[in-house]
Amino acid sequence: MKKLLVYLKDYKKETILAPLFKLLEATLELFVPLVVATIIDVGIADGDTRYILRMVGILILLAAVGLAFSVTAQYFAAKAAVLFVKKLRQVLFARIQSLSWAELDTSGTSTLITRLTSDMNQVQSGLNLTLRLLLRSPFVILGAMVMAFTVDVKAAMVFVVDIPALAVVVFGIMFASIPLYRKVQNRLDGVLTQTRENLTGVRVLRAFCKEEEQVHGFREKNQNLTNMQKFVGRIMALLNPVTYVIVNGAIIALIWVGALRVDMGLLTQGAVVALYNYMAQILTELVKLANLIINVTRSIACGNRIQAVLEIEPTVTDGEKTGETDESRGEMSERAAAEGVPAVEFRHACLRYPEAYDEALSDIHFSVNPVETVGIIGGTGSGKSSLVNLIPRFYDCEQGQVLVNGTDVREYNLKALRGQIGVVPQKAVLFAGTIRENLLWGKKDATEEEMRAALETAQILEILEKKGEGLDSPVEQGGKNFSGGQRQRLTIARALIRKPEILILDDSSSALDYATDAALRKAIAAMEPRPTLFLVSQRTSSIRHADKIVVLDDGRVVGIGRHEDLLKTCEVYREIYDSQFHDSMDSTDAKEAGEEVPAV
């Protein structure tokens, strides 16, 4: 947690003035019992009304000035807390954005969301209270004890016994609660994870009638969270009653000792009232300190969780090579082809996911020439997506190399590398806004003509033209107002608009019919400049015309070649082909396969 305080350095003025004004307020408060004592011992004892009114005026003045100090302290404390958390949230978000997919997979989405929201709010609340009370409460407690000694030394010895006992109780409970609050936040992560999964997969849950099962699972996780919160709450609940018992016991002892000394003429009645008021101030501040400790304990636990994310070192870091400029980017493939340099080359690349026992990819070795179309096919879990994710460095290979235009991808600046690559992932992701705004993700200065050309290539322009708003058609969160095939085509258009040197379509046409899929591939092949294309697909019809087909099985390359050759030499490819074309073949499939379609 203490490492996070470095982000307070830009708000030194606020962090100094907030406790300073609180200490000024506390100083004024310590003089109040002495004024009250003089009213009793002088004003009331002598019946001097004017003196009493004068002292009351002083009390009102102390209250007014103290209120002004308190409001000023609150302003600076709130400002420092808000600005600190604003900056910390920006830093945390930037760190999350810098993490590779490996770290994101390990951390988990729900956990990171909790860090950015709930944990941040708790840190803000804790810092606000800390700036106002962390110095004020101990200052008043110790100041009240010192002022008590100025009134009467022997009676004040009660404070010497009372305050250390209180400190043991308060700090003992605090140190016992800090690790427990960390467990509370971890269990909250579990509840949020299940909530997120249920909300995003609500259609699947209902389709399989799993509502009751999920409600039961949520109730169990929620109960575990509640039980832990109750356990911590019981410990924290001891704070107030134990401190009240100690303080009230001290008040009884103080009144008893004070009464004896008044009876002996060694102490005035006003002095006893002043001592009592100092003890009451201590009690009040201990209540505030108890609440502060509860909040600070939670804030420290949350701050440690935030710090844990900031301490994650990204495994994928920038290289020094900046790549090509925007002006010459279109010539990159032509030059690479002229020099005989492969557009993409895998040299015995291996990939192992974090905490996984087996390798996801083993000894991947092949090259792709510029403007070639490469099909990637294999069974479920064979490593197709893992392979293409190595090209833009979403993951780094554990052994071997991946080269783009003859340079190891680890030597590239990430922005330069990914600026050459257009990626369309398996899951079509659109952002709330308009179609225009989503396309500008691919190229921020794209013209309307470029947008329309990309949409036409993606085979969705005609559909959008039927909508009255065209490029300004609204897109709901996640693209819920579009069908699965339309979402896929919009994400393809977003990748195409930047005219990438390398285009990766990771099973991104699975929701398209065969005719649209074939038209899409034909349009991409006619692009100028033509990209080097990686087609990941489960359909042999989608990749059969590729210049090169890579067949994967259990993370290994078991066949490389053209469609006709692989049918003869690769058993895995032939099994996939037979399962799709010989068991059930519609007319479109048959046309794709080049077979004769019987008349109906």
Side-chain angles (χ1 to χ4, degrees):
M1 173 67 182
K2 61 184 179 180
K3 293 182 180 179
L4 301 182
L5 298 181
V6 68
Y7 300 109
L8 269 175
K9 64 181 181 181
D10 293 332
Y11 315 111
K12 293 179 180 178
K13 181 183 72 174
E14 289 81 4
T15 54
I16 293 173
L17 292 179
L20 176 62
F21 277 100
K22 269 296 178 181
L23 291 180
L24 292 174
E25 179 211 356
T27 302
L28 297 179
E29 188 175 324
L30 291 174
F31 287 107
V32 171
L34 296 179
V35 176
V36 173
T38 59
I39 292 174
I40 295 172
D41 292 338
V42 178
I44 295 177
D46 298 339
D48 189 344
T49 304
R50 294 181 62 184
Y51 183 82
I52 294 174
L53 292 175
R54 190 163 59 251
M55 291 297 104
V56 170
I58 293 175
L59 289 176
I60 295 173
L61 179 63
L62 290 174
V65 176
L67 177 62
F69 286 159
S70 179
V71 170
T72 304
Q74 175 62 56
Y75 168 77
F76 285 118
K79 184 178 179 180
V82 169
L83 294 177
F84 166 74
V85 169
K86 173 190 173 183
K87 186 170 185 178
L88 182 59
R89 188 181 285 114
Q90 290 173 338
V91 171
L92 179 60
F93 186 78
R95 172 49 61 93
I96 291 173
Q97 292 297 314
S98 72
L99 299 178
S100 72
W101 286 15
E103 287 91 41
L104 293 175
D105 292 342
T106 303
S107 300
T109 304
S110 298
T111 299
L112 296 176
I113 291 173
T114 306
R115 302 291 198 277
L116 281 166
T117 53
S118 175
D119 289 351
M120 284 291 180
N121 292 337
Q122 190 61 56
V123 168
Q124 179 177 324
S125 174
L127 180 60
N128 193 335
L129 288 173
T130 298
L131 291 176
R132 291 189 291 119
L133 299 178
L134 185 62
L135 292 180
R136 183 191 190 282
S137 293
F139 178 79
V140 171
I141 292 171
L142 294 176
M145 184 175 68
V146 171
M147 296 299 286
F149 272 94
T150 64
V151 175
D152 186 73
V153 175
K154 290 189 176 180
M157 294 303 295
V158 175
F159 290 79
V160 176
V161 177
D162 182 52
I163 291 178
L166 289 170
V168 171
V169 171
V170 168
F171 287 102
I173 292 176
M174 181 184 72
F175 289 125
S177 301
I178 288 176
L180 295 177
Y181 275 117
R182 190 176 298 115
K183 292 182 179 180
V184 167
Q185 291 300 117
N186 289 336
R187 295 194 179 185
L188 177 61
D189 285 344
V191 172
L192 292 176
T193 298
Q194 181 152 3
T195 302
R196 182 174 181 271
E197 289 177 347
N198 277 261
L199 291 175
T200 55
V202 62
R203 292 179 176 83
V204 178
L205 290 176
R206 293 177 180 176
F208 287 90
C209 301
K210 293 289 185 179
E211 294 94 335
E212 291 186 8
E213 182 178 323
Q214 291 299 314
V215 167
H216 176 75
F218 180 84
R219 185 182 295 116
E220 183 177 345
K221 289 182 181 296
N222 194 35
Q223 188 61 47
N224 290 336
L225 172 62
T226 303
N227 291 340
M228 180 57 68
Q229 287 176 322
K230 284 182 177 179
F231 181 64
V232 180
R234 291 189 186 100
I235 295 177
M236 297 305 298
L238 293 173
L239 192 59
N240 279 353
V242 172
T243 53
Y244 270 98
V245 167
I246 295 174
V247 171
N248 285 319
I251 289 175
I252 293 172
L254 181 64
I255 294 175
W256 181 67
V257 172
L260 292 177
R261 294 183 67 76
V262 169
D263 188 56
M264 291 185 292
L266 300 175
L267 200 63
T268 64
Q269 294 176 342
V272 174
V273 172
L275 291 171
Y276 172 81
N277 284 336
Y278 282 128
M279 187 62 73
Q281 283 183 351
I282 291 175
L283 177 60
T284 301
E285 291 305 318
L286 282 171
V287 172
K288 293 180 181 179
L289 190 60
N291 292 325
L292 173 64
I293 289 171
I294 293 173
N295 279 277
V296 168
T297 300
R298 292 175 179 172
S299 299
I300 290 174
C302 293
N304 289 337
R305 284 157 50 87
I306 294 170
Q307 183 176 315
V309 177
L310 293 176
E311 290 177 348
I312 298 175
E313 290 297 330
T315 55
V316 175
T317 55
D318 271 337
E320 297 181 357
K321 187 175 179 63
T322 58
E324 302 294 327
T325 63
D326 290 337
E327 290 76 16
S328 61
R329 185 181 297 171
E331 304 170 2
M332 187 185 304
S333 294
E334 295 179 7
R335 187 172 64 256
E339 296 175 356
V341 178
V344 178
E345 184 177 1
F346 292 85
R347 293 182 180 174
H348 304 288
C350 300
L351 172 66
R352 188 192 306 274
Y353 289 111
E355 302 178 4
Y357 179 76
D358 296 322
E359 289 182 335
L361 295 172
S362 300
D363 196 30
I364 305 298
H365 188 78
F366 68 93
S367 61
V368 180
N369 294 322
V371 306
E372 273 191 337
T373 296
V374 181
I376 311 292
I377 196 168
T380 302
S382 59
K384 301 185 295 297
S385 296
S386 299
L387 187 148
V388 294
N389 285 336
L390 291 176
I391 300 172
R393 284 194 76 195
F394 293 147
Y395 297 95
D396 267 343
C397 51
E398 186 179 44
Q399 298 177 17
Q401 290 178 295
V402 179
L403 292 84
V404 172
N405 293 313
T407 302
D408 193 318
V409 292
R410 286 170 288 201
E411 297 179 17
Y412 276 103
N413 174 277
L414 288 174
K415 187 176 181 180
L417 172 66
R418 293 170 183 171
Q420 305 171 28
I421 303 171
V423 181
V424 184
Q426 284 181 321
K427 183 179 179 181
V429 178
L430 295 173
F431 299 90
T434 64
I435 292 174
R436 185 189 304 275
E437 290 171 350
N438 274 271
L439 291 179
L440 290 176
W441 279 65
K443 185 180 180 183
K444 62 182 180 181
D445 57 349
T447 63
E448 186 160 339
E449 289 73 19
E450 289 175 317
M451 294 183 191
R452 294 178 65 84
L455 292 169
E456 185 176 6
T457 303
Q459 309 300 304
I460 196 172
L461 179 61
E462 184 179 348
I463 296 174
L464 293 181
E465 286 180 339
K466 294 178 181 178
K467 297 179 178 289
E469 296 167 295
L471 290 172
D472 294 315
S473 298
V475 178
E476 295 181 5
Q477 184 179 10
K480 294 177 182 178
N481 55 328
F482 291 94
S483 69
Q486 289 172 343
R487 287 198 297 270
Q488 284 188 336
R489 280 177 279 179
L490 285 171
T491 56
I492 291 171
R494 184 174 60 199
L496 292 176
I497 199 169
R498 63 168 50 180
K499 295 183 179 179
E501 293 295 325
I502 300 169
L503 178 62
I504 299 173
L505 302 182
D506 186 2
D507 203 16
S508 52
S509 59
S510 58
L512 305 184
D513 59 80
Y514 286 97
T516 305
D517 185 18
L520 171 65
R521 286 182 277 113
K522 183 177 180 181
I524 292 175
M527 288 178 60
E528 288 294 340
R530 181 179 172 181
T532 302
L533 178 62
F534 285 81
L535 274 174
V536 178
S537 181
Q538 300 281 2
R539 301 174 181 172
T540 54
S541 63
S542 296
I543 63 170
R544 59 175 286 117
H545 297 297
D547 300 308
K548 185 180 296 179
I549 298 174
V550 178
V551 186
L552 296 177
D553 184 43
D554 196 23
R556 294 181 178 275
V557 175
V558 294
I560 298 179
R562 295 185 67 86
H563 170 74
E564 294 79 8
D565 298 330
L566 290 173
L567 284 176
K568 299 175 184 177
T569 61
C570 182
E571 183 179 350
V572 174
Y573 184 77
R574 188 168 58 251
E575 288 177 356
I576 296 172
Y577 176 81
D578 289 343
S579 69
Q580 296 176 7
F581 283 93
H582 285 254
D583 294 341
S584 59
M585 179 184 294
D586 61 24
S587 61
T588 307
D589 295 337
K591 289 179 181 178
E592 281 286 327
E595 300 180 11
E596 184 178 349
V597 182
V600 178

